[in-house]
């Protein structure tokens, strides 16, 4: 299949580039910078950003075969710098970093900026910059801090952008990528049915005639995966849901009933609450909590598989944001943000082989697959719920009293979002338990009690996000209910921090 290859230099945003190309219905693959082998059917290259400096010997470089292919190249951030450096330009670090929104002004004419305003806000994230251009290259955009904010060599079809067109913060970012695609002379060839066909082939090739145990959380990713695998494997699929004592109110019962009614799937529910909570006693570090929960998940599933007939595979609904934040790609230089229970928390040795068909997909792509196979909206559009559950929404030590209070607060928040028709206007919303106390007044009595936080964000890819602009009256109403109805809570706060710098979850 014809494709555009995304060369990964270790950026947190690498897969976002591939996602934008897929949104344009163009098939794309991501490859590490040092594993560029066969270039058959490759019609263009996008060089990702990365954490390194491009003019230091030994750092990642562009493979010679990419230049030899004579195909169009688009360098982004580090990719731009290393392209300029290897072509004979100069890179400098003058101590003037550029992070966040920046206005660029277009210079000269470039097909890369067709349909783009002369001055436009973009998203920068760099310390190094191109100081001088190679021969045959020209400036096509500048900012106050970066005189060479974009360049081109039109005859070679080489382009460089100091900013990130793949993030939603860059205005006209998708248009710029689409303009590059036109230079690659590739036709649209990617949609939900293509993804499903690829997953069918992958599962058939790897699992063959063997039995698969699916780790089902009840969230969007694992539920859609259950439906997809059920169509492929039939009775060779066994779905197991672990009640680790960290679920939301009535979560296990609701998930099992919903899957049976909507999909026809039978789910085995394993009660492992005591096992998980005992292991979390005294643990406050979020990374330790995630790894304990992840390791215990695998222990439970391995034990469950021994009681089932001939289980060889453990299937998980891992998606790419989990992999990126856990630096789960073995060849990636991306820095670890946090370990996810189904990626960074996996033990080094497993008795089951791992099957993760959604590993390179984003949540919106998973939702498209769910809709394509006919799943109902209440399943496909459900807010994400992390595998570690409330274990990472109780900040600090997890115990039964905190979990119960948090369940009640979370239930109130989500119920009122639905009552006020706000649930589907947010991408993810939840309550969390803060490890602090505050003074309050109940009747005529002073209390010194705990604090509940509320968070709601809007995002398209879960790599960047902004706080949902909920009406003040609504937040006040939810706060009043939580404080009045839950003993031991004195105060409610609302988190308005974007991602980055924050992550969507607190831990």
């Amino acid at each position: 299949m014809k494709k555009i290859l995304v060369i990964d230099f270790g950026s947190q945003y690498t897969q976002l580039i591939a996602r934008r190309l897929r949104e344009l219905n163009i098939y794309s693959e991501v490859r590490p910078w040092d594993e560029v082998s066969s270039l058959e059917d490759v019609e263009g290259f996008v060089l990702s950003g990365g954490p390194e400096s491009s003019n230091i010997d030994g750092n990642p470089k562009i493979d010679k075969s990419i230049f030899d292919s004579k195909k169009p190249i688009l360098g982004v951030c580090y990719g731009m710098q290393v392209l300029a450096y290897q072509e004979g330009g100069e890179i400098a670090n003058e101590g003037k970093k550029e992070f966040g929104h920046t206005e660029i002004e277009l210079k000269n004419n470039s097909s890369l900026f067709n349909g783009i305003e002369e001055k436009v806000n973009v998203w920068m994230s760099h310390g190094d910059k191109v100081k001088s251009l190679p021969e045959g290259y020209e400036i096509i955009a500048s900012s106050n801090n970066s005189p060479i904010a974009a360049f081109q060599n039109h005859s070679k079809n080489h382009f460089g952008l100091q900013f990130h067109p793949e993030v939603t913060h860059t205005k006209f970012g998708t248009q710029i990528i689409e303009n590059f695609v036109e230079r690659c002379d590739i036709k649209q060839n990617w949609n939900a049915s293509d993804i499903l066909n690829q997953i069918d082939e992958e599962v058939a090739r790897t699992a063959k005639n063997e039995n698969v145990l699916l780790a089902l959380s009840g969230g969007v990713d694992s539920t859609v995966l259950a439906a997809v695998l059920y169509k492929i494997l039939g009775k060779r699929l066994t779905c197991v849901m672990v009640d680790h004592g960290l679920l939301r109110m009535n979560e296990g019962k609701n998930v099992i009933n919903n899957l049976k009614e909507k999909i026809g799937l039978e789910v085995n529910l394993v009660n492992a609450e005591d096992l998980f909570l005992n292991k979390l006693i005294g643990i406050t570090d979020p990374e330790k909590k995630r790894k304990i929960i992840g390791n215990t998940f695998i222990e439970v599933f391995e034990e469950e598989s021994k009681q089932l007939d001939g289980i060889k595979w453990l299937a998980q609904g891992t998606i790419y944001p989990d992999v990126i934040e856990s630096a789960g790609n073995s060849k990636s230089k991306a820095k670890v943000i946090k370990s996810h229970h189904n990626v960074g928390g996996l033990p080094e040795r497993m008795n089951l082989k791992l099957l993760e068909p959604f590993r390179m997909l984003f949540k919106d792509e998973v939702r498209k697959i769910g809709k394509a196979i006919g799943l109902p909206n209440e399943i496909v559009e459900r807010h994400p719920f992390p595998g570690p559950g409330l274990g990472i929404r109780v900040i600090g030590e997890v115990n039964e009293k905190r979990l119960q209070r948090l369940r009640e607060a979370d239930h109130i928040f989500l119920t009122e979002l639905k009552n006020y028709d706000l649930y589907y206007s947010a991408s993810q919303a939840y309550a969390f338990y803060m490890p602090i106390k505050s003074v309050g007044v109940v009747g005529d009595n002073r209390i010194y009690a705990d604090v509940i936080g509320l968070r709601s964000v809007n995002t398209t890819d879960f790599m960047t996000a902004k706080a949902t602009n909920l009406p003040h009256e609504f937040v006040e109403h939810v706060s009043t209910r939580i404080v009045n109805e839950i003993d031991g809570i004195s105060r409610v706060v609302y988190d308005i921090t974007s991602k980055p710098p924050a992550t969507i979850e607190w831990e």
Side-chain angles (χ1 to χ4, degrees):
M1 183 183 291
K2 299 290 185 181
K3 64 177 77 73
I4 291 179
L5 210 58
V6 181
I7 306 301
D8 183 13
F9 286 110
S11 171
Q12 300 289 347
Y13 300 137
T14 295
Q15 190 65 12
L16 274 181
I17 302 171
R19 180 183 175 277
R20 298 294 179 235
L21 290 165
R22 292 177 188 180
E23 285 178 342
L24 297 170
N25 301 118
I26 301 297
Y27 179 62
S28 63
E29 292 180 4
V30 176
R31 290 189 196 167
W33 64 273
D34 57 352
E35 286 192 3
V36 182
S37 51
S38 171
L39 298 183
E40 185 180 358
D41 293 329
V42 176
E43 298 299 321
F45 302 88
V46 182
L47 314 177
S48 84
E52 310 296 343
S53 180
S54 55
N55 62 347
I56 298 177
D57 290 339
N59 278 340
K61 297 291 189 293
I62 305 168
D63 192 277
K64 182 177 180 294
S65 62
I66 293 176
F67 289 113
D68 292 343
S69 73
K70 309 284 187 194
K71 298 296 184 180
I73 298 174
L74 173 63
V76 175
C77 199
Y78 178 88
M80 171 203 190
Q81 295 163 11
V82 75
L83 175 59
Y85 180 70
Q86 288 187 235
E87 286 281 87
E90 184 182 2
I91 311 301
N93 187 329
E94 299 172 345
K96 294 180 180 179
K97 297 181 180 181
E98 198 170 21
F99 294 100
H101 283 291
T102 302
E103 184 180 73
I104 62 168
E105 184 175 356
L106 306 189
K107 310 283 186 181
N108 301 313
N109 291 323
S110 175
S111 58
L112 196 65
F113 293 142
N114 284 344
I116 309 301
E117 297 171 358
E118 186 175 344
K119 293 184 178 181
V120 60
N121 280 326
V122 300
W123 185 261
M124 293 279 195
S125 181
H126 68 101
D128 293 356
K129 60 186 177 184
V130 179
K131 187 175 181 179
S132 66
L133 289 174
E135 185 177 349
Y137 286 72
E138 64 177 344
I139 298 171
I140 56 174
S142 299
S143 73
N144 288 336
N145 186 57
S146 299
I148 306 176
F151 63 62
Q152 70 176 5
N153 183 316
H154 199 269
S155 63
K156 288 186 174 182
N157 268 330
H158 289 181
F159 303 90
L161 302 174
Q162 187 57 76
F163 57 90
H164 290 268
E166 69 272 27
V167 302
T168 55
H169 305 296
T170 292
K171 190 177 182 182
F172 299 114
T174 300
Q175 179 65 53
I176 293 170
I177 295 173
E178 185 174 8
N179 289 340
F180 175 72
V181 167
E182 290 183 7
R183 301 293 298 182
C184 298
D185 194 27
I186 184 173
K187 295 180 180 179
Q188 293 183 337
N189 60 357
W190 185 246
N191 53 42
S193 61
D194 292 320
I195 299 173
L196 278 168
N197 289 336
Q198 190 179 65
I199 290 172
D200 287 350
E201 293 173 3
E202 178 191 348
V203 173
R205 183 179 67 255
T206 54
K208 298 179 182 178
N209 294 318
E210 296 174 322
N211 294 330
V212 176
L213 175 64
L214 172 62
L216 184 69
S217 71
V220 174
D221 307 320
S222 64
T223 304
V224 174
L225 180 60
V228 170
L229 292 180
Y230 186 64
K231 288 179 178 290
I232 302 171
L233 302 172
K235 293 183 178 179
R236 288 196 287 124
L237 175 69
T238 300
C239 293
V240 173
M241 183 175 183
V242 174
D243 183 354
H244 47 19
L246 306 171
L247 297 175
R248 292 175 291 195
M249 188 176 292
N250 301 321
E251 185 90 3
K253 179 181 178 181
N254 290 341
V255 167
I256 290 174
N257 290 341
N258 206 7
L259 288 174
K260 186 174 182 180
E261 293 173 6
K262 305 296 184 182
I263 305 175
L265 275 173
E266 296 286 344
V267 179
N268 299 332
L269 184 64
V270 178
N271 190 331
E273 179 177 352
D274 291 342
L275 176 64
F276 279 85
L277 295 188
N278 285 336
K279 287 191 175 187
L280 291 171
I281 292 173
I283 304 299
T284 59
D285 179 80
E287 274 296 287
K288 288 183 179 179
K289 285 199 289 185
R290 283 178 173 272
K291 289 189 179 293
I292 287 171
I293 294 169
N295 289 341
T296 308
F297 256 113
I298 303 303
E299 289 175 15
V300 171
F301 281 113
E302 285 184 330
E303 187 62 33
E304 186 68 17
S305 70
K306 294 175 184 176
Q307 303 174 36
L308 300 169
D309 210 15
I311 295 293
K312 300 294 184 182
W313 293 86
L314 172 62
Q316 294 189 135
T318 305
I319 60 174
Y320 203 73
D322 303 337
V323 176
I324 293 172
E325 291 190 332
S326 297
N329 278 336
S330 61
K331 293 293 183 180
S332 175
K333 286 182 173 288
K335 309 301 183 183
V336 175
I337 304 300
K338 57 188 178 185
S339 295
H340 289 260
H341 81 284
N342 52 353
V343 183
L346 293 178
E348 293 182 4
R349 297 184 63 181
M350 290 178 56
N351 295 326
L352 298 174
K353 294 176 285 186
L354 199 58
L355 184 64
E356 296 177 318
F358 292 170
R359 185 180 178 86
M360 298 303 286
L361 300 182
F362 282 83
K363 191 170 293 289
D364 62 316
E365 291 181 310
V366 173
R367 286 193 165 115
K368 287 177 184 177
I369 290 173
K371 291 175 182 178
I373 62 176
L375 292 180
N377 196 59
E378 57 264 33
I379 290 178
V380 176
E381 295 297 336
R382 187 184 184 211
H383 287 192
F385 185 63
L390 301 182
I392 59 169
R393 291 181 177 176
V394 173
I395 314 304
E397 185 177 2
V398 179
N399 60 49
E400 256 185 271
K401 183 179 289 185
R402 286 181 168 186
L403 284 170
Q404 184 54 37
R405 288 171 178 167
L406 180 56
R407 284 192 188 96
E408 294 179 31
D410 190 74
H411 181 70
I412 289 171
F413 187 29
L414 297 184
T415 298
E416 292 299 343
L417 281 169
K418 292 173 182 176
N419 289 342
Y420 280 74
D421 199 24
L422 293 169
Y423 182 82
Y424 292 112
S425 64
S427 304
Q428 184 170 350
Y430 65 92
F432 57 96
Y433 203 101
M434 302 189 73
I436 59 174
K437 294 181 180 292
S438 75
V439 174
V441 178
V442 176
D444 293 326
N445 297 316
R446 174 190 182 277
I447 62 169
Y448 189 54
D450 294 345
V451 179
I452 289 289
L454 305 177
R455 182 147 170 80
S456 179
V457 298
N458 289 90
T459 177
T460 58
D461 48 44
F462 289 85
M463 293 302 298
T464 61
K466 288 188 175 181
T468 307
N469 187 20
L470 295 175
H472 177 77
E473 294 78 9
F474 169 79
V475 177
E476 187 176 36
H477 169 67
V478 172
S479 172
T480 300
R481 277 202 62 188
I482 290 173
V483 173
N484 286 347
E485 297 177 27
I486 305 175
D487 290 336
I489 302 299
S490 64
R491 195 178 299 258
V492 175
V493 297
Y494 184 56
D495 179 5
I496 62 170
T497 317
S498 63
K499 174 185 180 179
T503 53
I504 292 176
E505 295 288 346
W506 267 56
E507 290 193 338

